[in-house]
Amino acid sequence: MTPRRRLHPVAIMAGVGKELKNMVVPLLVIMVAGSLNRFSWRDFIVPLAAVVYTVVMGVLSWLRFTYAWDEDRLLVEEGVFVRKRRSIPFERIHGISVTEGIWQRMAGVVQVHVEAAGDALGEAEVTLRAISREEARRLQRCVEQAKHKVENAAHPEPSANRPHPALFTLSMKEVWMASLTSGGALGVVAALCAFLSQLGDFIPYESLIRDLQSTWNGHGRLLIALFILSLLLAAYGVAIVQNMIRYASFVVRKQEDTIVIARGWLERKAVSVPVARVQGVVIHENWLRRLFGYASVSLIHAGGRLDGGGAGDVVLCPLVEKRRVASIIQACLPEYDLGVSFSPLPKRAKRRYMLRPLVWLVIPAILAAYIERPWGAAVLLVLPLGAWIGIHRFQIAGWSLSSKQLALRSGWFRQTTTYVLKRHVQSLQTSATWWQKRKRLATISVAVMPLGTRVRVVDVDEADAASVYRWLQGERRKQT
């Protein structure tokens, strides 16, 4: 067993810095609220006490945190007031991600997140905030060797010592294109709106809305439209910068039975995803990338947020030519077959796809046309546009079935194609509403790990849905 040791002292700064960053807005609100009438030194008491408490607790947490490991398990002791001891067998570890933030780079160390079975979604079982790169590599080798022993496939030479060629890389031009076509501006706007909503006690939103209404009624609509356009363009620029920093130096390698994904500029991160934990492959194509023949690929991972995204979602290729996707997946996950042909939906489902967008558009369009008459009548043009989008969604939707794999495809603005192996399907549901029964149609819905990951295709022929259901039931009978 390795000797029990503490983290590098830079872990204090990393932990305290993270806590203080989360406290900035509440502390500013407290200071502003306390100085509404008259500003005095007393307004600093609560923020200063919070900062001092955070620093003291950061130091005590570092002193009380120790770790060690042997050939079979990782041992961690932590806790200031309540002492907690954890022993994690290596065979339970689903994945390891290594991050190099600003503080870690300055000290020449890395941060390691260990994802293991039984932990809450989105939370690493253990976070080692600051250990040396060599220690991180030794820990990864110990985990790999323990898994090989369990699988009766021990390797005499550790896989981490052998060079592994890159299966996929992103050039700076491709990083720029991935950032430009990511469409993350709406996320930035949503985050900004969520932040501003917390300041309702200090910003007179009601008077601002009244001024906005008066400006709108006073024919200042062009100014308002220009302001909204400027806000969206600024958010788009922020999203581009964020994605460029995130996906710089992106590389994918295969190390025995593990897919290693490294990326990042300011914060360098390496994520290790065991092939056995991959539950599916998802190909995303928004309308802009599809226009130029590009797509993005992600893996459904039976675990938490290894890559900082949604639970169970790991980005394999942020941007890749569609013709290269099949070869990359074949090299990483040979069991998956992306060359299958998709069965289209029956023609009787076309009208339902045309009418579905109109259900949400008819009433708002009529109200807008009435309120802003006569020029508001132009809003009614969104109705044929909605029907046209519905037709394209119908043409894209489909399914494919083989002896070991199910594939589902849907969407239009963001077309999604999901490939799932039969043994990874947690549940498969076929359902039909009263309107679907009249047209002999059904909905196929498939769930895989992690919990809540579900994909579906609407308005499949009921006979095809029944065949997909029998396909899975046949596998279940074989297992029993």
Side-chain angles (χ1 to χ4, degrees):
M1 176 181 290
T2 61
R4 189 169 294 277
R5 65 191 72 184
R6 292 191 179 94
L7 302 175
H8 190 280
V10 77
I12 302 175
M13 302 176 66
V16 172
K18 181 179 179 181
E19 294 297 327
L20 291 179
K21 183 178 68 174
N22 296 332
M23 293 170 57
V24 167
V25 175
L27 292 180
L28 289 177
V29 171
I30 292 174
M31 292 180 64
V32 172
S35 60
L36 287 178
N37 297 325
R38 187 178 61 182
F39 189 81
S40 68
W41 63 271
R42 294 184 181 87
D43 299 324
F44 287 100
I45 293 178
V46 174
L48 184 60
V51 172
V52 172
Y53 174 80
T54 302
V55 173
V56 172
M57 291 300 296
V59 174
L60 292 177
S61 298
W62 174 77
L63 288 172
R64 299 283 285 174
F65 189 101
T66 60
Y67 68 97
W69 69 82
D70 55 21
E71 295 180 354
D72 301 314
R73 57 180 179 164
L74 173 65
L75 304 173
V76 175
E77 292 188 14
E78 60 182 329
V80 177
F81 301 110
V82 179
R83 194 67 172 164
K84 182 188 296 184
R85 295 179 175 86
R86 285 187 284 180
S87 174
I88 306 172
F90 285 150
E91 62 267 19
R92 289 181 57 240
I93 293 178
H94 293 166
I96 296 178
S97 62
V98 180
T99 305
E100 296 181 53
I102 296 177
W103 294 110
Q104 286 83 9
R105 282 191 176 186
M106 292 174 60
V109 296
V110 296
Q111 176 174 284
V112 177
H113 295 268
V114 178
E115 187 78 27
D119 59 88
L121 283 179
E123 297 181 359
E125 180 78 13
V126 171
T127 299
L128 305 177
R129 290 189 181 277
I131 65 174
S132 67
R133 294 185 178 90
E134 182 58 32
E135 279 192 324
R137 285 193 288 267
R138 286 203 303 265
L139 178 59
Q140 288 179 315
R141 286 198 295 266
C142 289
V143 172
E144 291 175 2
Q145 290 172 357
K147 288 181 176 295
H148 289 322
K149 288 180 181 178
V150 172
E151 298 169 359
N152 294 322
H155 296 277
E157 179 186 359
S159 61
N161 292 336
R162 299 196 300 268
H164 298 84
L167 299 178
F168 174 77
T169 59
L170 277 182
S171 64
M172 284 306 299
K173 177 183 177 181
E174 291 171 327
V175 170
W176 166 253
M177 290 183 60
S179 305
L180 199 65
T181 59
S182 64
L186 294 180
V188 175
V189 173
L192 178 62
C193 293
F195 171 73
L196 294 177
S197 66
Q198 305 298 320
L199 304 178
D201 295 334
F202 310 102
I203 300 178
Y205 288 121
E206 294 183 0
S207 61
L208 288 177
I209 292 175
R210 288 195 297 268
D211 294 340
L212 185 64
Q213 290 176 341
S214 63
T215 303
W216 182 269
N217 296 330
H219 305 288
R221 303 174 186 180
L222 179 61
L223 295 176
I224 296 174
L226 291 176
F227 172 76
I228 295 175
L229 179 62
S230 301
L231 180 64
L232 291 176
L233 289 176
Y236 188 47
V238 171
I240 290 175
V241 173
Q242 286 179 340
N243 282 289
M244 290 192 68
I245 293 174
R246 180 182 182 186
Y247 294 127
S249 304
F250 194 98
V251 60
V252 178
R253 288 185 170 89
K254 180 76 175 294
Q255 297 181 357
E256 301 301 333
D257 296 329
T258 303
I259 301 171
V260 180
I261 305 169
R263 62 163 178 83
W265 177 40
L266 294 178
E267 183 182 57
R268 187 67 177 164
K269 174 175 285 191
V271 179
S272 299
V273 182
V275 171
R277 304 301 300 176
V278 176
Q279 305 296 295
V281 177
V282 184
I283 300 175
H284 302 286
E285 303 173 58
N286 62 32
W287 68 272
L288 185 58
R289 291 179 176 180
R290 189 164 62 247
L291 184 64
F292 293 97
Y294 284 88
S296 62
V297 183
S298 61
L299 305 178
I300 302 176
H301 171 260
R305 294 178 173 88
L306 278 181
D307 197 24
D313 181 41
V314 178
V315 176
L316 182 67
C317 303
L319 182 75
V320 60
E321 294 180 82
K322 287 182 61 178
R323 60 182 179 84
R324 294 183 56 197
V325 173
S327 61
I328 294 173
I329 296 299
Q330 182 65 27
C332 294
L333 303 163
E335 288 188 273
Y336 288 84
D337 181 13
L338 272 61
V340 296
S341 58
F342 283 80
S343 301
L345 302 183
K347 292 184 178 180
R348 57 183 180 276
K350 183 176 182 178
R351 182 177 298 179
R352 288 178 52 82
Y353 271 80
M354 291 176 59
L355 296 177
R356 193 171 286 117
L358 301 183
V359 173
W360 307 100
L361 292 175
V362 168
I363 295 179
I366 292 176
L367 289 176
Y370 176 77
I371 294 173
E372 297 296 329
R373 60 185 186 277
W375 299 108
V379 179
L380 297 177
L381 294 176
V382 302
L383 299 181
L385 177 62
W388 179 78
I389 292 175
I391 292 175
H392 280 271
R393 288 173 60 89
F394 165 78
Q395 293 173 344
I396 287 173
W399 60 279
S400 176
L401 192 66
S402 64
S403 60
K404 296 181 179 180
Q405 176 184 277
L406 173 65
L408 301 177
R409 186 173 63 194
S410 61
W412 183 71
F413 282 110
R414 183 177 173 83
Q415 177 181 321
T416 302
T417 308
T418 305
Y419 299 84
V420 181
L421 296 181
K422 180 187 288 188
R423 67 173 184 271
H424 292 154
V425 176
Q426 298 294 311
S427 67
L428 189 148
Q429 178 181 350
T430 60
S431 59
T433 64
W434 182 80
W435 295 102
Q436 285 179 315
K437 289 180 179 178
R438 291 188 58 188
K439 295 291 185 178
R440 303 188 309 281
L441 302 173
T443 298
I444 299 176
S445 181
V446 178
V448 296
M449 287 292 291
L451 185 64
T453 305
R454 183 176 292 272
V455 293
R456 67 172 190 164
V457 173
V458 182
D459 292 341
V460 178
D461 187 282
E462 63 179 11
D464 294 334
S467 65
V468 174
Y469 186 80
R470 290 193 299 269
W471 166 79
L472 183 64
Q473 288 298 106
E475 176 71 10
R476 295 292 187 262
R477 283 194 293 269
K478 289 180 182 179
Q479 293 178 356
T480 56

